[in-house]
Amino acid sequence: MTDSSFDATNPPSRELLNDCVHCGFCLPTCPTYQLWGEEMDSPRGRIYLMDLAERGEIELEGAFTEHIDACLGCMACVTSCPSGVQYDRLLEATRPQVERNVPRARSDRWFRSGIFALFPYRRRLRAAAVGGALYQKLRLPALAARILPPRLRAAQALMPQVRLRSAFASLPRRVRPAGAPRKRVALLSGCVQDVFFHEVNTATQRVLAAEGCEVLTPRAQGCCGALGLHAGRETHARERAKQTIATFEKLPVDNIVVNVAGCGSSLKEYGHLLADDPQWSERATAFSAKVRDVTELLAELEPQAERHRIDAKVAYHDACHLGHAQGIREQPRSVLRTIPGVDLVDLPDAELCCGSAGIYNMVNPEPAAELGERKARNVRAVAPELLVTANPGCLLQLRRFLDDVPMLHPVQLLDASIQGRRPTEAPMAE
């Protein structure tokens, strides 16, 4: 074979493939290599497979797809690589090739299609929440765990405790600070985040307002495309990116605030995602330049609101798409350290993924469970009273294996401190 096995639509770049010198610094931080010790399930092994496919020396079907599908896309290798290899760019170019050109088994295709028929749609998620609440009330999860196949068993085990009042609540379109605004920002409310973690959005609005920000939350917003982008559904991601840009770019704001690590990393990549679209390239780049994770923005602002004491040992878990993909590690910690009484501790093997990774813990439940159990052991090793992390997928994954440790988003802990209440109590009425 002499022609590339990739099609002509944005294949992995030969220049980026050549950047890898196969030094092996990525191996200790790669979750799948740590699980199996298999070279082709390491970043340099997968780059080698991409290199072979680009040269036309291996087909995309079979072993190639198996090893690419096994990758969590956590980007720990990007952080650890001394040569600056852009594995994130290579993976984002490779996964769409697999989705376009490799036929999947019918059950796999249906399962993946079912995920994308549900999760990007807030109304469908709310309808599912009604069924989920009934499912939990009838105590069916315990029965289902014994009879469902692995993927469905994993999906139901990740289901959060459904609170219908919260799932159907709407965020105020505008929240004003008490005094003159220091900044005007727009909030991405998300899909899963707004239905199943609505309280994180309300805490985000309150904290930003307390710190002097006027917060706009457009009702017309939809899915940002992050889930599709990370799974190789490029057309879905591009369409959602354009819709998100069109919704937010007309707002007179200084920044666009995100409280979901996976969404934030994707929003910051819109300029790259739409670089070849002359109608959207400049708009996407301008949009991405305004995006800030909520902890990133709060760390930029001098604290204004009074913090009340919270005496607690708090473990911080780095969400991969915050720490590795966005390089945001110190900002969440510095924000949490503004809370008097908080004893902030890091986790052992903090760079290793918890196994959530977008849809990974549903489509690859066995390795995801091994990683989740490993992360749970590391959390217990530091004996925290609270665990905080900035991604809903991580919260769902960790709650599956840590039902004895309360978990919050960092902004919820800060909100509790500003309001002067215990972090596990209900927030004060607005």
Side-chain angles (χ1 to χ4, degrees), residues 188 191 222-227 236-237 240-241 244 262-264 266-267 270 273:
L188 182 89
C191 308
C223 172
C224 68
L227 210 60
H236 166 96
R240 297 291 178 168
T244 302
C263 297
S266 295
L267 266 61
Y270 278 1
L273 179 65

Side-chain angles (χ1 to χ4, degrees), residues 38-57:
E38 168 63 46
E39 176 67 20
M40 293 306 152
D41 284 315
S42 72
R44 72 178 182 184
R46 293 183 177 108
I47 290 174
Y48 178 66
L49 290 173
M50 295 175 196
D51 181 86
L52 291 178
E54 197 275 337
R55 298 176 189 274
E57 296 177 14

Side-chain angles (χ1 to χ4, degrees), residues 36-362:
W36 306 318
E38 168 63 46
E39 176 67 20
M40 293 306 152
D41 284 315
S42 72
R44 72 178 182 184
R46 293 183 177 108
I47 290 174
Y48 178 66
L49 290 173
M50 295 175 196
D51 181 86
L52 291 178
E54 197 275 337
R55 298 176 189 274
E57 296 177 14
I58 187 175
E59 297 290 345
L60 299 189
E61 291 187 50
F64 180 92
T65 292
E66 290 173 11
H67 293 298
I68 295 299
D69 279 354
C71 177
L72 289 95
C74 68
M75 305 309 161
C77 54
V78 176
T79 300
S80 63
C81 180
S83 301
V85 174
Q86 299 180 57
Y87 182 81
D88 51 345
R89 295 276 190 257
L90 290 170
L91 186 65
E92 286 176 8
T94 300
R95 281 198 157 142
Q97 295 281 338
V98 170
E99 293 306 308
R100 285 195 298 269
N101 300 310
V102 178
R104 295 189 179 275
R106 182 184 299 175
S107 59
D108 187 20
R109 188 171 66 250
W110 285 359
F111 187 78
R112 291 171 185 265
S113 296
I115 290 172
F116 284 96
L118 174 62
F119 286 97
Y121 301 93
R122 202 175 311 181
R123 289 182 181 178
R124 295 178 191 178
L125 283 173
R126 285 177 173 145
V130 175
L134 180 61
Y135 181 77
Q136 291 171 344
K137 187 174 182 180
L138 295 174
R139 300 182 181 179
L140 294 177
L143 173 63
R146 296 195 295 268
I147 63 174
L148 289 175
R151 280 182 165 182
L152 292 177
R153 188 163 64 245
Q156 75 94 28
L158 293 165
M159 186 187 302
Q161 190 64 38
V162 179
R163 295 182 293 273
L164 290 179
R165 182 177 179 182
S166 175
F168 282 84
S170 296
L171 293 166
R173 295 186 183 186
R174 184 190 301 265
V175 178
R176 292 184 173 89
R182 301 163 76 186
K183 275 181 175 283
R184 180 181 288 117
V185 302
L187 175 64
L188 182 89
S189 56
C191 308
V192 172
Q193 182 80 333
D194 201 38
V195 176
F196 295 112
F197 294 91
H198 184 80
E199 63 277 7
V200 176
N201 281 339
T202 57
T204 300
Q205 288 186 326
R206 282 193 298 268
V207 166
L208 289 172
E211 293 292 21
C213 297
E214 182 178 358
V215 186
L216 308 180
T217 308
R219 294 269 176 87
Q221 63 180 290
C223 172
C224 68
L227 210 60
L229 178 62
H230 300 152
R233 298 200 167 210
E234 192 172 48
T235 300
H236 166 96
R238 289 168 68 95
E239 290 174 353
R240 297 291 178 168
K242 292 175 183 178
Q243 291 169 8
T244 302
I245 293 167
T247 299
F248 281 87
E249 68 181 354
K250 57 193 176 188
L251 300 177
V253 296
D254 302 302
N255 293 112
I256 297 158
V257 177
V258 192
N259 56 22
V260 179
C263 297
S265 69
S266 295
L267 266 61
K268 290 180 178 181
E269 291 296 313
Y270 278 1
H272 174 73
L273 179 65
L274 299 174
D276 60 353
D277 190 323
Q279 293 185 342
W280 288 92
S281 177
E282 289 186 12
R283 295 165 70 181
T285 300
F287 173 92
S288 292
K290 287 187 173 184
V291 175
R292 298 288 186 279
D293 182 76
V294 62
T295 61
E296 185 181 17
L297 181 66
L298 289 169
E300 293 173 5
L301 296 171
E302 185 69 24
Q304 173 177 290
E306 180 184 0
R307 270 73 161 155
H308 297 86
R309 190 173 186 87
I310 295 178
D311 290 302
K313 185 177 183 182
V314 178
Y316 178 73
H317 163 64
D318 287 281
C320 293
H321 277 91
L322 195 63
H324 296 308
Q326 298 183 59
I328 297 175
R329 296 182 186 84
E330 181 53 35
Q331 295 94 322
R333 291 170 169 84
S334 66
V335 168
L336 291 168
R337 290 191 190 105
T338 66
I339 302 173
V342 163
D343 176 17
L344 192 63
V345 296
D346 289 327
L347 302 177
D349 295 330
E351 72 281 356
L352 281 179
C353 183
C354 68
S356 173
I359 68 170
Y360 189 90
N361 52 2
M362 291 184 283

